[in-house]
Amino acid sequence: MTFALWPASAFAHSERPTKAPDGTGSVPVYRTTGPHLVVCKNDTADFTTRIGAFPTDLRIRNLELYAECLDHGFRDLQAAVDHVTDAGTTIYVLPGSIRRNQALLPTPMPAIT
């Protein structure tokens, strides 16, 4: 007995047309003051290794932000975004490995055997 498996048609909504920027926009001004939140992981050894080759001023600033983050910062970006209360808040994401929360990933389809 022979079976032919034909690919199923994919039905999807039509996409809206794309529009390239015309080049007349502007880049936001970099903010150095105002409210901020900090996101980091609590792996001090990894963090220290990642910033080890930074220029001294940048390394010191990262260490200050890391201490602040460990005290009252956030461990994931979404938590920081959810806690923004003031317009113009800056979120600093410090060096480290960010991994997806496996519980939030879609369940894979079972293999057809």
Side-chain angles (χ1 to χ4, degrees):
M1 183 180 293
T2 303
F3 291 97
L5 297 176
W6 299 99
S9 297
F11 296 100
H13 65 281
S14 59
E15 296 294 329
R16 60 188 163 104
T18 59
K19 180 181 175 192
D22 64 7
T24 60
S26 62
V27 176
V29 175
Y30 180 72
R31 291 188 294 263
T32 58
T33 61
H36 71 268
L37 302 173
V38 189
V39 178
C40 66
K41 296 300 179 184
N42 57 358
D43 185 343
T44 302
D46 179 62
F47 180 76
T48 304
T49 300
R50 289 176 184 271
I51 67 167
F54 285 9
T56 302
D57 290 348
L58 182 58
R59 190 172 58 254
I60 290 169
R61 179 67 177 138
N62 271 264
L63 287 168
E64 292 167 350
L65 288 169
Y66 189 66
E68 177 183 334
C69 187
L70 291 178
D71 185 48
H72 60 272
F74 298 90
R75 299 299 167 259
D76 63 78
L77 181 57
Q78 188 61 57
V81 170
D82 292 345
H83 281 84
V84 170
T85 57
D86 300 319
T89 297
T90 299
I91 299 177
Y92 295 111
V93 180
L94 299 182
S97 294
I98 306 297
R99 294 182 184 85
R100 289 184 183 178
N101 182 340
Q102 296 299 315
L104 299 178
L105 295 177
T107 305
M109 296 292 292
I112 299 174
T113 56

